[in-house]
Amino acid sequence: MWFIFIQRSTEMLVGPTLLMTTRVIIGFSLVVSCILHTTSEANYDRTERRLSYRSVLYVWAGQDPSVPNAADFVAVIDFNERSPTYGSILRVVPLVSNPSTGVGQANNEPHHSSTSWSGRYYITGGLLSFLSKQKEIFVWKIPLNPLLGPQFVCGVDAPGSACVDEFQPYGPNSFLVSMMCDESAGSPGDMVIVNAVTCTAKSFLRNRGELQNFNPHGYGRLANGSVLTADYIVPITLTEPDASKIVFQSTVRHFYPDGSLQRTYNFQIPPGHITGLGEGIGFMELKAIPNDFLGRAYACGTNTNYIYLVTPGIPEPVPVLDASVVNGHNVRPSAGIVSMFPSGKHALMTFQMRFIMLMDISMPESPKILYTFDFCTDSSIAGMPIRVPGSNATTTFPEFCAANSNIVGTHVIIHPPGEKRFVVLNYFLKFGLAQFAGTRSVHAFILNPNLSDFSYDHRFNPNYSGSDSRTTFFSLQAYPHHAQYYRV
């Protein structure tokens, strides 16, 4: 993750408009330490202090097709705790259809997003754009003042691949992108480098066509430039009438910096410790551990609920944590995403589409769960009114959980380095057999100074205002999926 500092030198209010001149400093050092894992122990205290900054969130979201002129959009949310509009949507920047360039404003299924190391570009993806024969990667320019919202630049296609998933910075203005499928929603997928300046894409892999059952989702770049990728699912099998026919992959791969395959790790399915949904484990997530001199990473099994330790330097992957312990060892499908702290000593993880876990990973071979939050049962939010998506009914999290198999859609988690807060999005996917829309909401949490637990931030609420006077994700009939953070 990178960030922008904008220092105001002068400002003047002219009518309703605030004019200002600014000086921009891009935080390269923290970017390098976060991505290339070179943060020293001396930097640990500085990067993980519990601070709060003037900031905004860009939230990449979709809109119900029933909305007139529905469009996928970026919501700019006030993330400044001292602001009277904290937690409110300040503006909405929609995609606009352009048939001549292959950009469609709707039916993209907004998925992940990222920001370039240079701080100039914001990039978003449409998981299902290919089904409408639309371009699937969207490049935006970030203005000097992020409050103004991103400016759309271009749409990009990744030749021969589809199901765009995770982005990570790759050079000043480029991104490495996992493409989970081919253009028929099968295999092989691809790992693609997108150049935001030229609006072009090319494969990172040397011999993609030779890869079997290759459906990459989460991945991690190691300090030497090599890449570990996690195979997740064959997307076309989600359209089967029978859930037992869903094919989850059970492999992790290591690629050299030149894109050639070094090794494929095959994981064994533990007997009696699997959800029973489809075939295979399904690795939605893989994250490299920052500052780990052995180049280790965690891979998270959707159908086993195990967290596995994997690295090019060990013979076989090692299961190091049964995350289902937080639910009485009830193994259920998990759409968990991990957010690593830059020090490599703590991590946050969403789990089973309802839990958030804070973990101590200072000993990667034996991670410890420090604190668990459950959207379905936590007393701090039990009486908080929420809206039922697609209706005018008001409910609560316990009631919603009781009516929806204890699934609120908890999926993406964003913890900006140096921030005392993190953000969780409760929406996963609605496609075929994967009907996990959840509460379609965005939530903020506050870490305690000792990094031993966290609490729900009730002041942050872009979801439902209780009136029609404020734009919210509910009033927009939206489904927010991913977020990026910018200091102002």
Side-chain angles (χ1 to χ4, degrees), residues 31 48 68 89 277 281 326 392:
V31 173
E48 295 199 7
I89 296 175
L277 178 66
I281 295 175
V326 304
N392 289 320

Side-chain angles (χ1 to χ4, degrees), residues 163-180:
C163 304
V164 58
D165 195 76
E166 183 171 348
F167 300 91
Q168 290 185 22
Y170 187 87
N173 296 306
S174 295
F175 300 86
L176 184 62
V177 188
S178 58
M179 308 293 295
M180 197 167 47

